[in-house]
Amino acid sequence: MKIAIGADHAGFRLKDEIVPLLKELGHEVEDFGCDCSQSVDYPDYAIPVCERVVKGEADRGILICGTGIGMSIAANKVPGIRCALVHDLFSAKATREHNDSNVLAMGERVIGPGLAQEIVRVWLETPFSQGERHVNRVNKVMAIERRQA
């Protein structure tokens, strides 16, 4: 799988923990930065990652900031993105099975690297259930996007 990843100044350290894991798991990684603690704006990193996913140039995206909140808000403004803010393993699995999320957001100030790595692993390995009720719900969300366009 090709994974696009991005972080702001409050998430770059966790990103730097996740990238080697992704490569170890056999994924191709496109890193959109940032790589420093100097204050930057999270939308500048969220949008390029999400655009790659929407265009099919990446299979999934991962975004990290201090809490994950800003990244998830910015990501979900991009039509076609279903970004889930996740800080536990149950949610990582559920958002793939039930929501077919294509972008994962996490907060470096909320979780440590060990848990973050397990979340990423679960999120990448869990398929969408294809259950009728879940497909119906995802389709309704996508219809809302089309009406807003």
Side-chain angles (χ1 to χ4, degrees):
M1 219 181 302
K2 185 170 185 177
I3 310 298
I5 190 168
D8 71 1
H9 61 282
F12 84 94
R13 288 177 200 84
L14 185 56
K15 175 183 66 73
D16 289 348
E17 297 278 341
I18 298 298
V19 168
L21 171 69
L22 295 171
K23 291 178 179 178
E24 178 185 308
L25 294 173
H27 301 291
E28 182 181 345
V29 179
E30 187 173 10
D31 186 343
F32 286 85
C34 97
D35 295 312
C36 67
S37 59
Q38 181 179 346
S39 183
V40 297
D41 299 327
Y42 57 81
D44 296 340
Y45 299 89
I47 300 308
V49 167
C50 293
E51 287 175 345
R52 281 287 210 260
V53 173
V54 168
K55 291 177 184 175
E57 296 168 355
D59 300 296
R60 305 240 189 108
I62 298 174
L63 298 169
I64 306 165
C65 64
T67 62
I69 296 168
M71 286 290 202
S72 65
I73 290 170
N76 281 312
K77 298 295 182 185
V78 177
I81 293 299
R82 290 176 305 284
C83 179
L85 174 56
V86 174
H87 293 128
D88 62 82
L89 298 177
F90 175 80
S91 299
K93 183 173 180 163
T95 192
R96 284 291 309 134
E97 287 180 341
H98 297 192
N99 311 117
D100 197 19
S101 61
N102 52 11
V103 175
L104 171 67
M106 296 184 291
E108 179 177 315
R109 295 174 180 160
V110 179
I111 58 174
L115 178 55
Q117 290 172 344
E118 285 306 306
I119 287 169
V120 167
R121 187 184 315 269
V122 167
W123 185 74
L124 289 172
E125 293 174 356
T126 303
F128 180 47
S129 74
Q130 298 293 335
E132 184 178 345
R133 67 186 173 139
H134 302 303
V135 170
N136 184 46
R137 292 169 186 160
V138 169
N139 287 340
K140 284 183 177 186
V141 170
M142 301 306 285
I144 293 167
E145 283 185 354
R146 288 189 297 275
R147 285 197 310 267
Q148 301 302 317

